[in-house]
Amino acid sequence: SSNCRWKIPFIQETMVNGSNPPPAVIAVTETWLKDYITDAQVSIRGYNAYRSDRQKRVGGGCLLYLHEQLLVKEVSEYSDKENNMVCCYIESSHTLIAAIYRPPDSNPSGFSSLLSHLQGTIDRISENHRMPDLYILGDFNFPEIDWKMPLSYQSNSVPEFFDFMDKNQLSQIVTMPTRGDNTLDLALTNPPHS
């Protein structure tokens, strides 16, 4: 069974029914979904679901719900034995939205491949060297990063992650801890481009 299934009624009731207007985007990580769980089983009325499931291990996975009025031109998905990503490109607003799950024990080469895949997607959809608006959401599991002063870290993946953020002019905007004293769930965005 999936721990995502219990989240669906909660998301429907609190985020969709309880918000006016309802959110345009909902990102869910650690979905625990497998390919035998259909999109219909995780559907939310008024939203299209895009997902990346972890097949070979328990846990992991990510899911994006995009409001049905957002017309997605391109979907890109990445999955290895550990990391998951799904991203959607909305051409009308030149926006790329991604959900990422990186487990705490992630192999640096796997996360590097995920970042390379995402960078390739960003580069491909950049129009006339105009970068899209980026919204990259997820559970990155970097407890060693103090986002108030991100200078010291122990993970081999952190320098490459910071390079990726710099290249794409991304800011991390979550200001409170998301698990214990750590900010593991991140929201990265770049300034809107006109």
Side-chain angles (χ1 to χ4, degrees), residues 15-121:
M15 298 186 83
V16 177
N17 297 345
S19 298
N20 191 12
V25 176
I26 301 169
V28 183
T29 59
E30 294 197 58
T31 59
W32 292 47
L33 298 177
K34 301 292 183 200
D35 57 3
Y36 58 82
I37 299 171
T38 67
D39 287 345
Q41 290 175 285
V42 296
S43 69
I44 294 178
R45 188 178 56 257
Y47 288 82
N48 295 314
Y50 305 90
R51 58 194 250 200
S52 174
D53 303 340
R54 186 196 279 176
Q55 295 303 325
K56 307 223 182 215
R57 264 174 77 179
V58 172
C62 55
L63 171 65
L64 273 176
Y65 289 107
L66 299 183
H67 196 277
E68 64 189 3
Q69 291 181 344
L70 296 175
L71 302 179
V72 174
K73 179 177 181 177
E74 179 181 331
V75 178
S76 178
E77 187 259 345
Y78 176 91
S79 181
D80 61 26
K81 293 177 186 170
E82 302 172 336
N83 303 282
N84 293 92
M85 177 186 67
V86 61
C87 52
C88 298
Y89 175 56
I90 302 163
E91 186 177 41
S92 62
S93 60
H94 195 47
T95 300
L96 184 72
I97 302 167
I100 292 176
Y101 176 71
R102 176 194 170 272
D105 61 351
S106 178
N107 182 319
S109 66
F111 188 61
S112 178
S113 294
L114 181 150
L115 290 178
S116 293
H117 183 89
L118 180 54
Q119 188 63 58
T121 302

Side-chain angles (χ1 to χ4, degrees), residues 111 115 140 142 145 147 157-166 186 188:
F111 188 61
L115 290 178
F140 288 83
F142 284 126
I145 300 176
W147 287 99
S157 296
V158 173
E160 183 175 8
F161 182 54
F162 283 162
D163 289 346
F164 172 81
M165 288 179 63
D166 286 343
L186 307 179
L188 309 171

Side-chain angles (χ1 to χ4, degrees), residues 167-187:
K167 179 175 184 171
N168 294 291
Q169 304 168 5
L170 292 167
S171 298
Q172 198 294 111
I173 59 172
V174 176
T175 58
M176 298 172 57
T178 58
R179 206 158 318 133
D181 292 333
N182 302 308
T183 306
L184 306 181
D185 303 303
L186 307 179

